[in-house]
């Protein structure tokens, strides 16, 4: 594969509160995030070259297949390419990857990546996502799948229920400090363990909530930054998107596709896991954070439970994981989550996160996976962002 001809930067980010927004439409939520991102980047709507709009659920739940065009029409952006994107939970990250690709290969100078979903379902509604798969009809749905992963990890590596629960406790503690998070209240270890069982050993507080919300990022070229004199942008040091290999007899405690994607991202950025100052990863379930931490090289395989118990991934620890609160506390509108991760990392690298600020944060990694097919994820996206003043500009 050819290498990009130039560097791309995140010059602006925007995000709504995540949570329950019964009186707000997809267009309304998305418009808020877009306008914040444009204002943050000091970009007027008519200066955009292209837009990628991600929504994982709009077609299924709201019956809307043209979300991007609806949003842009609302805020007066017309006459440019608008591409709607769906890639399960990796939808927002996929929109960002495509925006990065356009800028990095010299196709456009300023591209907007947007993600939005309304995933809080009306009472009595059953979400049918994924049920066309025969395995899902037999009960192999996400809570059950991750419960199997958790039980396997516990059996092979000695991971404990308490270590799993510590992930939720930590991320809810972080969510208390995030005014845009769905949950701003802490939970105790005992509360997590005693919560209603969803799929053993995963309790209610071991699972992320359904959420409504939107997030956006403006991606631009160095030429654009030079013309604007901006020095608030963040370099996209790596953007890697892959799918699984669906090997029939894989180890349930690791996704080979994620390990491969992480290696490619570290190679592209010229760093290793020890260089990271923070990580935002896909903690859809507590076991997810543990296995993803291992795949990303934050600790050796099998030691994710020990990593969380050590406090290394808390704010103030060696490598804070999910300082935003993650999916467990910040919430999870599937189409927006990947860009919400970018929002958090960009803010952290600028030093603009207030009480949850990681002092001296310079490099951050965002990881998210989407869907499940056979024995592997259908999509895995990893982005590495680096603070601009650490880059040797040409």
């Amino acid at each position: 594969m050819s290498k990009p001809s130039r560097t791309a930067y995140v010059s602006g980010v925007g995000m709504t509160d995540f949570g329950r927004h019964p009186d707000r439409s997809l267009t309304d939520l998305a418009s808020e995030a877009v306008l914040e991102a444009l204002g943050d980047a000091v970009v007027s709507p008519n200066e955009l070259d292209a837009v990628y709009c991600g929504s994982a659920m709009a077609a299924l739940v709201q019956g809307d297949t043209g979300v991007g065009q609806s949003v842009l029409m609302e805020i007066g952006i017309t006459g440019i390419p608008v591409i709607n994107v769906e890639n399960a939970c990796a939808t927002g990250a996929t929109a960002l990857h495509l925006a990065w690709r356009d800028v990095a290969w010299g196709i456009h100078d300023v591209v907007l990546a947007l993600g939005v979903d309304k995933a809080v379902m009306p009472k009595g509604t059953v979400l049918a996502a994924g049920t066309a798969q025969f395995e899902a009809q037999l009960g192999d749905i996400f809570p059950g799948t991750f419960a199997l992963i958790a039980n396997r990890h516990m059996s092979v590596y000695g991971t404990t229920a308490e270590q799993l629960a510590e992930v939720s406790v930590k991320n809810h503690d972080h969510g208390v400090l995030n005014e845009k998070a769905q949950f701003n209240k802490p939970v105790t270890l005992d509360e997590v363990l005693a919560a209603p069982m969803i799929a053993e050993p995963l309790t209610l507080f071991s699972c992320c909530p359904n959420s409504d919300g939107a997030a956006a990022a403006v991606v631009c070229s160095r030429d654009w930054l030079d013309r604007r004199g901006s020095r608030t942008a963040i370099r996209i040091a790596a953007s890697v998107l892959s799918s699984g290999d669906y090997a029939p007899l894989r180890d349930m405690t690791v996704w080979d596709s994620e390990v491969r994607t992480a290696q490619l991202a570290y190679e592209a950025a010229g760093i290793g896991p020890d260089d990271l100052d923070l990580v935002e990863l896909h903690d859809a379930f507590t076991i997810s954070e543990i296995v993803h931490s291992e795949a990303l090289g934050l600790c050796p395989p099998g030691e994710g439970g020990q990593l969380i118990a050590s406090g290394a991934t808390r704010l103030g620890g060696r490598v804070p994981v999910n300082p935003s609160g993650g999916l467990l506390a910040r919430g999870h509108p599937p189409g927006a989550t990947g860009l919400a991760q970018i929002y958090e990392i960009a803010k952290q690298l600028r030093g603009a996160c207030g009480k949850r600020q990681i002092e001296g944060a310079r490099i951050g990694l965002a990881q998210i996976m989407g869907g499940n097919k056979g024995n592997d994820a259908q999509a895995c996206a990893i982005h590495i962002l680096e603070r601009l003043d650490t880059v040797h500009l040409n």
Side-chain angles (χ1 to χ4, degrees), residues 43-98:
V43 171
S44 62
N46 63 5
E47 292 175 307
L48 289 174
D49 294 323
V51 177
Y52 290 94
C53 176
S55 182
M57 299 175 63
L60 177 67
V61 178
Q62 285 83 27
D64 193 339
T65 57
V67 177
Q69 287 82 354
S70 297
V71 173
L72 298 181
M73 181 179 66
E74 181 72 18
I75 59 180
I77 301 174
T78 59
I80 62 173
V82 179
I83 300 93
N84 291 289
V85 178
E86 186 279 310
N87 212 6
C89 293
T91 291
T94 301
L96 180 68
H97 175 75
L98 294 171

Side-chain angles (χ1 to χ4, degrees), residues 277-301:
D277 296 305
L278 73 148
V279 173
E280 283 281 318
L281 57 72
H282 191 189
D283 60 321
F285 303 91
T286 50
I287 184 61
S288 306
E289 181 164 321
I290 287 174
V291 297
H292 293 324
S293 293
E294 295 170 2
L296 294 173
L298 305 185
C299 64

Side-chain angles (χ1 to χ4, degrees), residues 76 100 161 356 370 383:
W100 164 82
R356 69 181 187 279
H383 288 87

Side-chain angles (χ1 to χ4, degrees), residues 213-251:
V218 176
V219 180
C220 65
S221 67
R222 173 69 197 284
D223 290 342
W224 174 267
L225 290 179
D226 285 344
R227 290 196 296 271
R228 288 305 174 94
S230 172
R231 287 298 177 266
T232 61
I234 304 298
R235 182 173 81 109
I236 302 177
S239 177
V240 183
L241 177 67
S242 71
S243 58
D245 55 20
Y246 317 121
L249 297 174
R250 75 171 182 88
D251 179 355

Side-chain angles (χ1 to χ4, degrees), residues 157-206:
Y157 297 115
T159 304
T160 67
E162 288 75 16
Q163 289 171 340
L164 290 172
E166 282 288 358
V167 175
S168 184
V169 172
K170 170 185 71 72
N171 289 351
H172 279 84
D173 283 347
H174 291 174
V176 170
L177 305 176
N178 184 357
E179 67 281 357
K180 297 199 177 200
Q182 183 165 351
F183 298 130
N184 301 116
K185 294 182 179 180
V187 295
T188 67
L189 191 66
D190 288 343
E191 286 173 332
V192 178
L193 293 171
M197 189 65 67
I198 302 301
E200 193 172 0
L202 304 177
T203 69
L204 180 64
F205 288 135
S206 306

Side-chain angles (χ1 to χ4, degrees), residues 195-378:
M197 189 65 67
I198 302 301
E200 193 172 0
L202 304 177
T203 69
L204 180 64
F205 288 135
S206 306
C207 311
C208 72
N210 294 329
S211 314
D212 302 337
V218 176
V219 180
C220 65
S221 67
R222 173 69 197 284
D223 290 342
W224 174 267
L225 290 179
D226 285 344
R227 290 196 296 271
R228 288 305 174 94
S230 172
R231 287 298 177 266
T232 61
I234 304 298
R235 182 173 81 109
I236 302 177
S239 177
V240 183
L241 177 67
S242 71
S243 58
D245 55 20
Y246 317 121
L249 297 174
R250 75 171 182 88
D251 179 355
M252 285 193 71
T253 65
V254 64
W255 284 275
D256 292 337
S257 60
E258 181 180 10
V259 174
R260 182 177 69 252
T261 305
Q263 289 172 343
L264 290 171
Y266 288 136
E267 181 181 345
I271 66 164
D274 291 342
D275 296 308
L276 298 173
D277 296 305
L278 73 148
V279 173
E280 283 281 318
L281 57 72
H282 191 189
D283 60 321
F285 303 91
T286 50
I287 184 61
S288 306
E289 181 164 321
I290 287 174
V291 297
H292 293 324
S293 293
E294 295 170 2
L296 294 173
L298 305 185
C299 64
E303 296 185 14
Q306 299 171 45
L307 180 71
I308 183 68
S310 73
T313 56
R314 279 186 166 272
L315 285 168
R318 173 173 61 85
V319 53
V321 174
N322 288 325
S324 69
L327 282 66
L328 288 167
R330 184 192 60 234
H332 183 37
T337 292
L339 284 160
Q341 294 176 328
I342 299 302
Y343 177 93
E344 177 70 18
I345 292 176
K347 291 284 190 179
Q348 287 283 354
L349 299 189
R350 291 179 183 172
C353 281
K355 293 182 179 179
R356 69 181 187 279
Q357 179 61 46
I358 299 165
E359 186 175 355
R362 187 174 65 88
I363 299 175
L365 180 147
Q367 172 274 349
I368 195 163
M369 299 182 75
N372 193 60
K373 181 76 172 177
N375 289 303
D376 211 340
Q378 290 173 273

